[in-house]
Amino acid sequence: MKKAIFFDVDDTLYDHLIPFRKAIQPYVGQLESFPYEEAYHRMRYYSDKISVELGGAGKMEQSSATDAMKRDRFQFALHEFGIEVDAIQAESIQQAYFDCQFEIELFPDARELIIELQQRGYIVGVLTNGAEAHQWRKIKALDLHKIIALERIFVSGSYGWDKPDIKIFQLINERTETLPEQCTYVGDSWRNDVIGATRAGWNMIWFNHRNLARESNITLQGEVESYEALKYYVL
């Protein structure tokens, strides 16, 4: 029987907090014990929220409102933690964040696990939300295109359906000639990954390396904090 495993990218295959921390550090560095992880999750919340309002990732490279969205998400998130930045400062943060997003590397053991899964006969791929060109720059920065077949790399902006829409998961089933129950998804976002994959009938392993609380009662195949732990569920 075919078995397929697909991975999210941002904060699943690499640490997405690193570019965020670098970008906002000049504005919060004077504050001791600033909650970077909490602020990061609020930024992602606003990013997802505004993206949906603008029409989803497929519109993000075309919309004239995209630049404002990228500034607003930092202003809204930092405001919750008592940090006020104006539009010019938010633009500087966004530019620093953008520049740092391509200075990334895979989590320890991720590359080795992907290769071993394929050697054992698994269909292995990537499913990530985001604008096509932007996400492909990350994919190439991580060298994922060198270890995963290009036809198994899916960027939502290429198709017009963003996770948690089950249509993007159904598209993968169609392209890989698999059934939902043959597929496992590994991702960090409860809203996009856990809800999307389970609604599509896929097995779900929550990559919860930030030790977040579950947001609802959904049956998971597993919950892990590292790739060392993940291999015990999939190998």
Side-chain angles (χ1 to χ4, degrees), residues 42-52 69 73:
R42 295 308 294 165
M43 184 276 290
R44 287 192 68 180
Y45 165 79
Y46 286 115
S47 184
D48 288 344
K49 180 176 183 293
I50 301 172
S51 175
V52 169
M69 177 280 286
R73 61 184 178 178

Side-chain angles (χ1 to χ4, degrees), residues 2-3 26 31 33 38 49 52 68-69 82-83 97 101 103 106 119 129 136 149 162 174-175 196 207 228:
K2 286 185 179 180
K3 289 186 178 181
L31 299 177
S33 302
E38 293 179 41
K49 180 176 183 293
V52 169
M69 177 280 286
I83 305 294
Y97 179 64
Q101 283 192 51
E103 300 170 3
L106 293 171
Q119 290 173 341
N129 272 5
W136 268 102
D162 297 327
E174 179 182 334
R175 294 283 180 88
F207 190 69
E228 177 68 21

